[in-house]
Amino acid sequence: MTDRQRRPGWPVGRRPAAVPHRRPLGGGAAAPRPPVVAAADERAAALVDAVRIRLAEVGAAPTAGSVAAALRAARPPLGGDDVLDAVRVLRSELVGAGPLDALLGEPDVTDVLVNGPDQVWVDRGGGLRRVPEIRFPDAEAVRRLAHRLATAAGRRLDDARPWVDARLPDGTRLHAVLPPIAAGCTHISLRICRTRPFTMAELVTGGALPPIGAELLTAVLRARLSLLISGGTGTGKTTLLAALLGLVEPDERIVLAEDSAELRPDHPHVVRLQSRPPNQEGLGELTLRDLVRQALRMRPDRVVVGEVRGEEVVDLLSALNTGHEGGCGTVHANTAADVPARLEALGSLAGLDRLSLHSQLRAALDVVIHLVRDQRTGQRRVAELHMLVGDERGLALTVPALAFTAEGGCTPGPGWERLRRRCAERGVVLPEPAVVAR
Protein backbone atom coordinates (compact mmCIF):
# COMPACT_ATOMS: atom_id res chain seq x y z
CA MET A 1 0.00 0.00 0.00
CA THR A 2 1.47 3.34 -0.97
CA ASP A 3 1.51 6.42 1.26
CA ARG A 4 -0.94 8.03 -1.20
CA GLN A 5 -3.39 5.14 -0.78
CA ARG A 6 -3.13 5.27 2.99
CA ARG A 7 -4.07 8.94 3.29
CA PRO A 8 -7.67 9.93 4.05
CA GLY A 9 -9.43 11.60 1.16
CA TRP A 10 -8.46 8.96 -1.43
CA PRO A 11 -11.12 9.06 -4.18
CA VAL A 12 -14.32 7.12 -3.48
CA GLY A 13 -14.51 3.71 -5.08
CA ARG A 14 -10.76 3.06 -5.12
CA ARG A 15 -10.28 0.92 -2.09
CA PRO A 16 -6.63 0.26 -1.24
CA ALA A 17 -5.68 -3.34 -0.72
CA ALA A 18 -4.70 -4.50 2.72
CA VAL A 19 -1.03 -5.25 3.27
CA PRO A 20 0.82 -7.05 6.04
CA HIS A 21 2.56 -5.03 8.74
CA ARG A 22 5.64 -3.38 7.26
CA ARG A 23 9.20 -4.09 8.22
CA PRO A 24 11.84 -1.40 8.60
CA LEU A 25 13.43 -0.02 5.45
CA GLY A 26 16.20 -2.04 3.91
CA GLY A 27 14.43 -5.37 4.33
CA GLY A 28 15.93 -6.09 7.76
CA ALA A 29 13.89 -7.67 10.50
CA ALA A 30 12.38 -5.45 13.16
CA ALA A 31 14.15 -5.30 16.49
CA PRO A 32 12.75 -7.90 18.93
CA ARG A 33 10.09 -6.58 21.30
CA PRO A 34 8.33 -8.09 24.30
CA PRO A 35 5.40 -10.26 23.12
CA VAL A 36 2.74 -8.24 24.97
CA VAL A 37 4.03 -4.90 23.64
CA ALA A 38 4.40 -6.31 20.13
CA ALA A 39 0.84 -7.66 20.16
CA ALA A 40 -0.54 -4.33 21.37
CA ASP A 41 1.39 -2.50 18.66
CA GLU A 42 0.06 -4.90 16.02
CA ARG A 43 -3.53 -4.36 17.19
CA ALA A 44 -3.09 -0.60 17.22
CA ALA A 45 -1.56 -0.62 13.74
CA ALA A 46 -4.38 -2.81 12.45
CA LEU A 47 -6.98 -0.47 13.94
CA VAL A 48 -5.33 2.59 12.37
CA ASP A 49 -5.26 0.82 9.01
CA ALA A 50 -8.95 -0.12 9.34
CA VAL A 51 -9.92 3.48 10.12
CA ARG A 52 -7.80 4.77 7.24
CA ILE A 53 -9.49 2.39 4.81
CA ARG A 54 -12.95 3.33 6.08
CA LEU A 55 -12.23 7.06 5.69
CA ALA A 56 -10.86 6.46 2.22
CA GLU A 57 -13.98 4.52 1.20
CA VAL A 58 -16.35 7.33 2.21
CA GLY A 59 -13.99 10.16 1.21
CA ALA A 60 -14.28 11.80 4.63
CA ALA A 61 -11.81 14.20 6.20
CA PRO A 62 -10.25 12.86 9.42
CA THR A 63 -12.29 14.94 11.86
CA ALA A 64 -13.10 13.71 15.35
CA GLY A 65 -16.62 12.76 14.23
CA SER A 66 -15.54 10.88 11.10
CA VAL A 67 -12.80 9.04 12.99
CA ALA A 68 -15.31 8.02 15.68
CA ALA A 69 -17.74 6.77 13.01
CA ALA A 70 -15.00 4.82 11.26
CA LEU A 71 -13.92 3.38 14.60
CA ARG A 72 -17.47 2.21 15.35
CA ALA A 73 -17.62 0.63 11.89
CA ALA A 74 -14.45 -1.29 12.70
CA ARG A 75 -16.26 -2.70 15.79
CA PRO A 76 -13.35 -2.79 18.23
CA PRO A 77 -14.13 -4.30 21.67
CA LEU A 78 -14.04 -0.96 23.51
CA GLY A 79 -16.13 0.72 26.18
CA GLY A 80 -17.34 4.34 26.13
CA ASP A 81 -14.27 5.99 27.66
CA ASP A 82 -12.01 3.69 25.68
CA VAL A 83 -13.69 4.83 22.45
CA LEU A 84 -12.98 8.49 23.26
CA ASP A 85 -9.36 7.67 24.04
CA ALA A 86 -9.09 5.64 20.85
CA VAL A 87 -10.54 8.50 18.79
CA ARG A 88 -7.93 10.90 20.16
CA VAL A 89 -5.11 8.44 19.50
CA LEU A 90 -6.32 7.52 16.01
CA ARG A 91 -6.82 11.14 14.95
CA SER A 92 -3.32 11.91 16.22
CA GLU A 93 -1.98 9.02 14.14
CA LEU A 94 -3.91 10.13 11.04
CA VAL A 95 -3.31 13.89 10.95
CA GLY A 96 -1.32 14.79 14.07
CA ALA A 97 2.13 14.00 15.34
CA GLY A 98 1.27 10.58 16.73
CA PRO A 99 3.06 9.80 20.00
CA LEU A 100 4.64 13.27 19.94
CA ASP A 101 1.33 15.15 20.24
CA ALA A 102 1.47 15.15 24.04
CA LEU A 103 4.95 16.71 24.04
CA LEU A 104 4.08 19.32 21.41
CA GLY A 105 1.16 20.42 23.56
CA GLU A 106 3.30 21.20 26.60
CA PRO A 107 3.83 24.97 26.97
CA ASP A 108 7.46 24.77 28.11
CA VAL A 109 8.72 22.45 25.34
CA THR A 110 10.98 24.14 22.77
CA ASP A 111 12.39 21.16 20.82
CA VAL A 112 11.37 17.56 20.19
CA LEU A 113 13.88 15.20 18.52
CA VAL A 114 13.33 11.65 17.27
CA ASN A 115 16.43 9.52 16.61
CA GLY A 116 14.66 6.15 16.52
CA PRO A 117 11.50 4.32 17.61
CA ASP A 118 12.51 4.46 21.28
CA GLN A 119 14.84 7.47 21.09
CA VAL A 120 12.69 10.55 21.74
CA TRP A 121 14.35 13.61 23.27
CA VAL A 122 12.83 16.87 24.46
CA ASP A 123 14.15 20.28 25.51
CA ARG A 124 12.07 22.18 28.04
CA GLY A 125 14.53 25.04 28.31
CA GLY A 126 17.05 23.21 30.47
CA GLY A 127 18.82 21.08 27.88
CA LEU A 128 17.89 17.84 26.12
CA ARG A 129 16.35 15.01 28.14
CA ARG A 130 15.30 11.59 26.89
CA VAL A 131 11.60 10.65 27.24
CA PRO A 132 11.62 6.84 27.56
CA GLU A 133 7.85 6.55 28.06
CA ILE A 134 7.18 7.83 24.53
CA ARG A 135 8.06 5.47 21.72
CA PHE A 136 7.01 4.38 18.22
CA PRO A 137 6.10 0.80 17.23
CA ASP A 138 9.02 0.57 14.80
CA ALA A 139 11.21 2.53 12.39
CA GLU A 140 8.51 2.44 9.72
CA ALA A 141 6.16 4.35 12.03
CA VAL A 142 8.75 7.12 12.38
CA ARG A 143 9.09 7.29 8.59
CA ARG A 144 5.30 7.49 8.15
CA LEU A 145 5.14 10.36 10.61
CA ALA A 146 7.90 12.21 8.75
CA HIS A 147 5.99 11.74 5.48
CA ARG A 148 2.74 12.96 7.04
CA LEU A 149 4.33 16.07 8.54
CA ALA A 150 6.13 16.90 5.29
CA THR A 151 2.84 16.60 3.40
CA ALA A 152 1.14 18.89 5.93
CA ALA A 153 3.90 21.44 5.27
CA GLY A 154 3.40 21.14 1.51
CA ARG A 155 6.84 19.67 0.92
CA ARG A 156 8.20 16.56 -0.75
CA LEU A 157 9.95 13.81 1.21
CA ASP A 158 10.93 10.59 -0.54
CA ASP A 159 13.95 8.61 -1.73
CA ALA A 160 14.63 11.18 -4.47
CA ARG A 161 14.64 14.03 -1.92
CA PRO A 162 15.40 12.39 1.43
CA TRP A 163 15.28 15.50 3.61
CA VAL A 164 12.87 18.34 4.29
CA ASP A 165 13.16 21.68 6.10
CA ALA A 166 9.75 23.32 6.38
CA ARG A 167 7.21 25.08 8.55
CA LEU A 168 4.07 23.26 9.71
CA PRO A 169 0.71 25.09 9.65
CA ASP A 170 0.88 25.80 13.41
CA GLY A 171 4.33 27.40 13.04
CA THR A 172 6.39 24.41 14.24
CA ARG A 173 9.63 24.05 12.32
CA LEU A 174 10.14 20.59 10.83
CA HIS A 175 13.37 18.96 9.72
CA ALA A 176 13.42 15.30 8.74
CA VAL A 177 16.00 13.03 7.09
CA LEU A 178 15.29 9.59 5.64
CA PRO A 179 17.64 6.59 5.44
CA PRO A 180 20.17 5.95 4.05
CA ILE A 181 21.18 9.59 4.68
CA ALA A 182 20.10 9.06 8.28
CA ALA A 183 21.73 5.90 9.54
CA GLY A 184 19.32 3.27 10.79
CA CYS A 185 16.10 5.26 11.14
CA THR A 186 14.37 8.42 9.99
CA HIS A 187 15.40 11.41 12.11
CA ILE A 188 12.83 14.09 12.95
CA SER A 189 13.58 17.47 14.54
CA LEU A 190 10.73 19.74 15.62
CA ARG A 191 11.20 23.24 16.98
CA ILE A 192 8.05 24.63 18.54
CA CYS A 193 7.09 28.21 17.76
CA ARG A 194 5.35 30.13 20.51
CA THR A 195 1.91 31.40 19.55
CA ARG A 196 2.81 34.64 21.35
CA PRO A 197 6.32 36.14 21.32
CA PHE A 198 8.16 36.90 24.54
CA THR A 199 8.13 40.48 25.74
CA MET A 200 11.25 42.19 27.01
CA ALA A 201 9.80 42.07 30.53
CA GLU A 202 9.41 38.29 30.25
CA LEU A 203 12.98 37.93 29.02
CA VAL A 204 14.17 39.89 32.05
CA THR A 205 12.08 37.71 34.37
CA GLY A 206 13.51 34.59 32.73
CA GLY A 207 17.10 35.76 33.27
CA ALA A 208 17.90 36.39 29.60
CA LEU A 209 19.18 39.88 30.45
CA PRO A 210 19.11 42.29 33.40
CA PRO A 211 16.60 45.17 33.57
CA ILE A 212 19.26 47.73 32.62
CA GLY A 213 20.11 45.55 29.62
CA ALA A 214 16.49 45.65 28.45
CA GLU A 215 16.51 49.46 28.76
CA LEU A 216 19.72 49.74 26.75
CA LEU A 217 18.53 47.43 23.95
CA THR A 218 15.25 49.33 23.79
CA ALA A 219 17.20 52.58 23.44
CA VAL A 220 19.36 51.09 20.67
CA LEU A 221 16.22 50.10 18.80
CA ARG A 222 14.65 53.53 19.33
CA ALA A 223 17.82 55.16 17.95
CA ARG A 224 17.33 53.12 14.75
CA LEU A 225 20.82 51.64 14.87
CA SER A 226 21.32 48.72 12.48
CA LEU A 227 22.05 45.52 14.38
CA LEU A 228 22.75 41.82 14.07
CA ILE A 229 21.99 39.27 16.78
CA SER A 230 24.67 36.58 16.85
CA GLY A 231 25.05 33.31 18.70
CA GLY A 232 25.11 29.55 18.33
CA THR A 233 22.21 27.23 17.58
CA GLY A 234 19.46 27.39 20.18
CA THR A 235 20.74 30.45 22.02
CA GLY A 236 17.52 32.43 21.50
CA LYS A 237 18.46 34.73 18.61
CA THR A 238 15.02 34.62 16.99
CA THR A 239 13.29 34.98 20.35
CA LEU A 240 15.21 38.16 21.17
CA LEU A 241 14.74 39.61 17.68
CA ALA A 242 10.97 39.06 17.85
CA ALA A 243 10.84 40.77 21.26
CA LEU A 244 12.82 43.75 19.97
CA LEU A 245 10.63 44.11 16.87
CA GLY A 246 7.62 44.25 19.16
CA LEU A 247 9.05 47.54 20.50
CA VAL A 248 9.14 49.22 17.08
CA GLU A 249 6.78 52.18 16.79
CA PRO A 250 3.35 51.05 15.53
CA ASP A 251 3.41 53.49 12.59
CA GLU A 252 6.54 51.82 11.14
CA ARG A 253 6.29 49.13 8.46
CA ILE A 254 8.40 46.00 9.09
CA VAL A 255 9.19 43.73 6.12
CA LEU A 256 10.54 40.29 7.07
CA ALA A 257 12.49 38.01 4.74
CA GLU A 258 12.93 34.45 6.02
CA ASP A 259 13.69 30.95 4.82
CA SER A 260 10.89 29.69 7.07
CA ALA A 261 8.43 31.93 8.90
CA GLU A 262 9.76 31.89 12.46
CA LEU A 263 9.49 35.54 13.48
CA ARG A 264 6.12 36.55 14.87
CA PRO A 265 6.62 39.99 16.41
CA ASP A 266 3.76 41.59 18.29
CA HIS A 267 3.45 44.52 15.90
CA PRO A 268 0.46 45.84 13.90
CA HIS A 269 2.25 46.31 10.56
CA VAL A 270 4.36 43.31 9.56
CA VAL A 271 4.81 41.99 6.02
CA ARG A 272 6.25 38.46 5.77
CA LEU A 273 8.14 37.06 2.80
CA GLN A 274 9.18 33.39 2.76
CA SER A 275 11.61 31.63 0.44
CA ARG A 276 10.60 28.61 -1.62
CA PRO A 277 12.62 25.57 -2.72
CA PRO A 278 12.58 24.38 -6.34
CA ASN A 279 9.90 21.95 -7.47
CA GLN A 280 10.52 18.43 -8.74
CA GLU A 281 11.66 19.83 -12.10
CA GLY A 282 14.13 22.15 -10.39
CA LEU A 283 12.08 25.26 -11.19
CA GLY A 284 10.33 27.94 -9.16
CA GLU A 285 12.98 28.51 -6.49
CA LEU A 286 12.79 31.79 -4.59
CA THR A 287 15.92 32.48 -2.56
CA LEU A 288 16.40 34.70 0.46
CA ARG A 289 18.36 37.05 -1.78
CA ASP A 290 15.31 37.39 -4.03
CA LEU A 291 13.19 38.23 -1.01
CA VAL A 292 15.56 40.92 0.26
CA ARG A 293 15.51 42.60 -3.15
CA GLN A 294 11.71 42.55 -3.21
CA ALA A 295 11.52 43.80 0.38
CA LEU A 296 13.40 46.96 -0.60
CA ARG A 297 10.63 47.79 -3.10
CA MET A 298 7.83 47.44 -0.56
CA ARG A 299 8.35 50.76 1.22
CA PRO A 300 9.86 49.27 4.40
CA ASP A 301 10.70 51.31 7.47
CA ARG A 302 12.74 48.37 8.72
CA VAL A 303 14.12 45.50 6.64
CA VAL A 304 14.60 42.33 8.67
CA VAL A 305 16.37 39.15 7.54
CA GLY A 306 15.45 36.25 9.81
CA GLU A 307 18.86 34.62 9.41
CA VAL A 308 21.75 35.85 7.28
CA ARG A 309 23.27 32.67 5.85
CA GLY A 310 24.27 33.29 2.22
CA GLU A 311 24.55 35.73 -0.66
CA GLU A 312 21.68 37.87 0.68
CA VAL A 313 24.21 39.52 3.03
CA VAL A 314 25.32 41.70 0.08
CA ASP A 315 21.79 42.97 -0.59
CA LEU A 316 21.15 43.55 3.10
CA LEU A 317 24.33 45.61 3.53
CA SER A 318 23.50 47.56 0.38
CA ALA A 319 20.05 48.32 1.78
CA LEU A 320 21.43 49.49 5.12
CA ASN A 321 23.82 51.76 3.21
CA THR A 322 21.08 53.37 1.13
CA GLY A 323 18.81 54.91 3.72
CA HIS A 324 17.12 51.85 5.24
CA GLU A 325 18.19 52.51 8.82
CA GLY A 326 17.22 50.31 11.72
CA GLY A 327 17.47 47.04 9.78
CA CYS A 328 18.31 43.89 11.67
CA GLY A 329 18.69 40.13 11.51
CA THR A 330 20.44 37.15 13.04
CA VAL A 331 23.63 35.30 12.16
CA HIS A 332 25.36 32.18 13.48
CA ALA A 333 28.69 33.00 15.10
CA ASN A 334 30.69 31.67 18.04
CA THR A 335 31.48 35.14 19.40
CA ALA A 336 30.59 38.72 18.55
CA ALA A 337 34.20 39.25 17.41
CA ASP A 338 33.71 36.49 14.80
CA VAL A 339 30.80 38.24 13.07
CA PRO A 340 32.90 40.25 10.55
CA ALA A 341 34.75 37.10 9.48
CA ARG A 342 31.47 35.22 9.21
CA LEU A 343 29.95 37.93 7.00
CA GLU A 344 33.12 38.06 4.94
CA ALA A 345 32.77 34.36 4.19
CA LEU A 346 29.12 34.82 3.21
CA GLY A 347 29.94 37.82 1.03
CA SER A 348 32.52 35.80 -0.87
CA LEU A 349 29.68 33.50 -1.99
CA ALA A 350 28.24 36.47 -3.89
CA GLY A 351 31.62 37.33 -5.42
CA LEU A 352 32.27 40.39 -3.24
CA ASP A 353 35.95 40.89 -2.48
CA ARG A 354 37.20 41.27 1.06
CA LEU A 355 37.84 45.03 1.17
CA SER A 356 34.53 45.85 -0.51
CA LEU A 357 32.61 43.70 1.96
CA HIS A 358 34.36 45.23 4.98
CA SER A 359 33.84 48.74 3.60
CA GLN A 360 30.10 48.10 3.28
CA LEU A 361 30.00 46.43 6.66
CA ARG A 362 31.61 49.35 8.49
CA ALA A 363 29.16 51.79 6.94
CA ALA A 364 26.04 49.64 7.30
CA LEU A 365 26.17 47.89 10.67
CA ASP A 366 26.28 49.57 14.07
CA VAL A 367 25.74 46.94 16.77
CA VAL A 368 26.23 43.22 17.33
CA ILE A 369 24.26 41.62 20.18
CA HIS A 370 25.71 38.25 21.15
CA LEU A 371 23.85 35.49 22.99
CA VAL A 372 25.17 32.39 24.72
CA ARG A 373 23.69 29.29 26.30
CA ASP A 374 25.02 27.74 29.49
CA GLN A 375 25.70 24.07 28.72
CA ARG A 376 25.15 23.05 32.34
CA THR A 377 21.85 24.80 33.05
CA GLY A 378 20.53 25.45 29.54
CA GLN A 379 20.07 29.14 30.41
CA ARG A 380 20.01 31.42 27.34
CA ARG A 381 21.10 35.00 27.87
CA VAL A 382 22.53 38.10 26.26
CA ALA A 383 26.29 38.08 26.92
CA GLU A 384 27.74 41.07 25.06
CA LEU A 385 26.95 44.13 22.99
CA HIS A 386 29.66 45.12 20.49
CA MET A 387 30.17 48.12 18.21
CA LEU A 388 31.56 47.93 14.67
CA VAL A 389 34.77 49.88 14.01
CA GLY A 390 37.49 49.84 11.34
CA ASP A 391 41.19 49.10 11.72
CA GLU A 392 44.18 50.64 9.96
CA ARG A 393 43.83 48.18 7.06
CA GLY A 394 40.24 49.19 6.37
CA LEU A 395 38.81 45.97 7.79
CA ALA A 396 35.79 45.87 10.11
CA LEU A 397 36.11 44.53 13.61
CA THR A 398 34.06 44.67 16.78
CA VAL A 399 34.83 46.18 20.17
CA PRO A 400 32.84 45.36 23.32
CA ALA A 401 30.55 48.14 24.51
CA LEU A 402 28.76 46.24 27.27
CA ALA A 403 29.23 42.86 28.95
CA PHE A 404 26.39 41.16 30.84
CA THR A 405 27.12 38.58 33.52
CA ALA A 406 25.02 35.54 34.41
CA GLU A 407 24.35 37.16 37.81
CA GLY A 408 22.69 40.19 36.18
CA GLY A 409 25.65 42.57 36.21
CA CYS A 410 26.47 44.96 33.38
CA THR A 411 29.94 46.37 32.71
CA PRO A 412 30.84 48.97 30.05
CA GLY A 413 33.73 48.29 27.68
CA PRO A 414 35.94 50.21 25.23
CA GLY A 415 33.08 50.68 22.77
CA TRP A 416 30.70 52.24 25.29
CA GLU A 417 31.46 55.85 24.40
CA ARG A 418 31.00 55.12 20.71
CA LEU A 419 27.60 53.59 21.44
CA ARG A 420 26.59 56.54 23.59
CA ARG A 421 27.60 59.03 20.87
CA ARG A 422 25.80 57.11 18.12
CA CYS A 423 22.58 57.10 20.14
CA ALA A 424 22.99 60.79 21.06
CA GLU A 425 23.27 61.64 17.36
CA ARG A 426 19.80 60.12 16.95
CA GLY A 427 18.37 61.99 19.92
CA VAL A 428 18.47 59.06 22.37
CA VAL A 429 20.30 59.52 25.69
CA LEU A 430 21.80 56.47 27.38
CA PRO A 431 22.69 56.20 31.08
CA GLU A 432 26.23 57.12 32.02
CA PRO A 433 28.72 54.23 32.42
CA ALA A 434 28.78 54.59 36.20
CA VAL A 435 25.03 54.06 36.30
CA VAL A 436 25.24 51.11 33.88
CA ALA A 437 27.94 49.42 35.94
CA ARG A 438 25.88 49.18 39.12
Side-chain angles (χ1 to χ4, degrees), residues 51-141:
V51 171
R52 277 200 182 100
I53 291 172
R54 179 63 180 173
L55 292 175
E57 287 176 339
V58 301
T63 63
S66 64
V67 170
L71 185 63
R72 286 194 296 269
R75 301 182 182 278
L78 300 175
D81 291 339
D82 292 335
V83 169
L84 294 178
D85 292 338
V87 167
R88 284 192 291 268
V89 171
L90 286 170
R91 190 163 187 270
S92 172
E93 288 292 334
L94 291 169
V95 296
L100 305 182
D101 265 348
L103 292 176
L104 297 179
E106 295 182 18
D108 58 342
V109 170
T110 61
D111 296 87
V112 176
L113 310 176
V114 181
N115 300 338
D118 57 353
Q119 290 280 335
V120 178
W121 298 76
V122 64
D123 189 344
R124 294 184 172 89
L128 289 171
R129 299 289 185 272
R130 188 176 174 185
V131 189
E133 62 271 18
I134 294 183
R135 65 183 303 278
F136 291 80
D138 50 32
E140 180 62 21

Side-chain angles (χ1 to χ4, degrees), residues 364-377:
L365 192 62
D366 297 302
V367 176
V368 174
I369 303 170
H370 188 71
L371 289 89
V372 297
R373 180 173 183 171
D374 191 302
Q375 295 300 319
R376 293 177 293 101
T377 64

